[in-house]
């Protein structure tokens, strides 16, 4: 799979970080641990003080909030066709 140019990756990273900053701190922490640092669900639950059985639901809610924010600022998964 071809990689986007460095500038495009940098812009995307900036946009995602800007949107992440708008999320509640709990969501920022969960998403950072899970996807930024690669922690497993059990490790995230331990770090955040959640039960392991509930961390998947909380993580999914945070991902949904992130998705809503990205859509609100006009992020598109696929570039528009020319």
């Amino acid at each position: 799979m071809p990689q986007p140019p460095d500038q495009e990756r940098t812009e995307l990273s900036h946009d995602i970080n800007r949107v992440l900053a708008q999320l509640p701190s709990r969501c920022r922490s969960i998403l950072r641990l899970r996807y930024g640092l690669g922690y497993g669900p059990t490790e995230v639950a331990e770090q955040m003080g959640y039960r392991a059985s509930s961390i998947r639901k909380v993580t999914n809610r945070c991902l949904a909030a992130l998705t809503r924010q990205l859509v609100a600022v006009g992020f598109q998964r696929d570039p528009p066709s020319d």
Side-chain angles (χ1 to χ4, degrees):
M1 176 178 227
Q3 293 292 315
D6 288 340
Q7 181 180 354
E8 186 177 329
R9 280 192 306 232
T10 300
E11 290 173 1
L12 179 60
S13 178
H14 175 72
D15 290 343
I16 290 173
N17 286 329
R18 186 171 36 100
V19 171
L20 279 169
Q22 297 175 10
L23 295 179
S25 62
R26 170 187 76 152
C27 283
R28 288 193 310 267
S29 296
I30 288 171
L31 295 175
R32 180 177 164 270
L33 289 170
R34 184 72 177 103
Y35 300 103
L37 299 175
Y39 284 31
T42 303
E43 295 168 309
V44 173
E46 289 172 5
Q47 289 288 318
M48 297 294 298
Y50 287 97
R51 290 188 316 252
S53 61
S54 65
I55 197 64
R56 180 168 292 155
K57 183 182 279 188
V58 175
T59 302
N60 285 338
R61 287 181 185 153
C62 291
L63 286 170
L66 176 61
T67 300
R68 284 191 300 274
Q69 289 292 331
L70 287 167
V71 169
V73 299
F75 179 80
Q76 296 177 348
R77 180 182 171 119
D78 297 320
S81 58
D82 295 334

